Amino acid sequence: MSDWCYNSIRIYGPNERLKQIVKEITINSFDELIFTFSKVIPQDYNVLVGDTSNGALRAFEAYININNITDPEEIKIILRDPAILSYSDDSILSFVDMTKAEFIEKYSSVEYEPKIRIVDWYTWRMDNWGTKWNAIDSKVELDDDELVITFETAWGPPTEIVKALCEKYPDVEIEADYMLDSNIESTV
């Protein structure tokens, strides 16, 4: 089970501006406002393919870069080959007519200039949100000149989300606090 991080973001500004921000960073679910990171930094579903610990995906990244395959539709068609995600090294990859093991051996150690990265959901979220999961159990409260958003994340605070909020809304004051399960507390 993950160690939880309890987060609070406070945004100060004119009420009308805060209402606009609420609309931009939340979704309405059954008349409840839910703070979601994907409204601040949308998740790029075009590059997410699954678990990159699967050696075939790392080799696939080399393959598409070496062969200058940059069309997203062509990449998606190739990625639909079930052998890439299978756990059998004997599976035949139809787009190269070799086994998965042969493909991994041929492409996993080749050096290339990455024009396109194959990224798993975990790496993308850590790089772009600062945490592996979206906000959990969020509460959004708006008073006259203060917007308070509380939520939980796994392992640590969403530092990249806080940075993005500060960049996106320079006309308001933003404070972020967090406390880890281990009682470490900080203000961002």
Side-chain angles (χ1 to χ4, degrees):
M1 186 165 171
S2 298
D3 288 340
W4 292 104
C5 181
Y6 305 97
N7 301 273
S8 172
I9 296 175
R10 295 179 184 280
I11 304 175
Y12 302 96
N15 187 267
E16 286 305 310
R17 180 67 174 129
L18 297 178
K19 285 179 184 177
Q20 181 183 9
I21 292 171
V22 167
K23 286 181 185 177
E24 294 174 8
I25 65 173
T26 63
I27 58 172
N28 191 326
S29 178
F30 301 104
D31 292 329
E32 182 179 349
L33 293 174
I34 308 289
F35 175 56
T36 177
F37 298 160
S38 59
K39 295 284 278 191
V40 180
I41 302 174
Q43 190 166 334
D44 184 353
Y45 290 99
N46 290 321
V47 296
L48 305 182
V49 295
D51 181 4
T52 53
S53 64
N54 176 332
L57 293 177
R58 284 285 128 226
F60 179 75
E61 180 178 286
Y63 172 81
I64 63 172
N65 281 284
I66 290 166
N67 292 291
N68 207 22
I69 301 170
T70 58
D71 177 31
E73 291 308 311
E74 186 177 354
I75 292 169
K76 286 178 189 176
I77 289 168
I78 296 170
L79 280 172
R80 288 189 190 115
D81 187 326
I84 287 181
L85 299 176
S86 83
Y87 290 102
S88 170
D89 286 341
D90 296 329
S91 301
I92 301 293
L93 297 169
S94 62
F95 61 94
V96 288
D97 197 29
M98 62 176 71
T99 68
K100 183 174 164 183
E102 292 167 335
F103 180 75
I104 292 170
E105 185 177 334
K106 180 174 180 176
Y107 287 101
S108 62
S109 61
V110 175
E111 291 194 28
Y112 60 92
E113 171 117 14
K115 298 173 206 121
I116 294 182
R117 283 185 60 212
I118 302 299
V119 181
D120 63 287
W121 68 269
Y122 177 84
T123 302
W124 189 94
R125 287 179 177 184
M126 292 302 291
D127 289 350
N128 291 277
W129 292 351
T131 187
K132 71 177 186 172
W133 292 328
N134 207 331
I136 298 170
D137 293 334
S138 70
K139 292 179 182 41
V140 179
E141 298 174 13
L142 177 60
D143 286 327
D144 292 333
D145 60 354
E146 179 182 33
L147 170 61
V148 179
I149 306 164
T150 57
F151 56 96
E152 297 174 22
T153 52
W155 299 347
T159 53
E160 300 306 313
I161 293 295
V162 173
K163 287 178 192 175
L165 287 170
C166 291
E167 289 171 11
K168 189 171 182 176
Y169 304 111
D171 58 322
V172 295
E173 182 182 338
I174 300 175
E175 294 177 0
D177 297 303
Y178 69 91
M179 185 174 71
L180 299 172
D181 263 349
S182 56
N183 292 323
I184 297 171
E185 201 169 328
S186 186
T187 298
V188 180

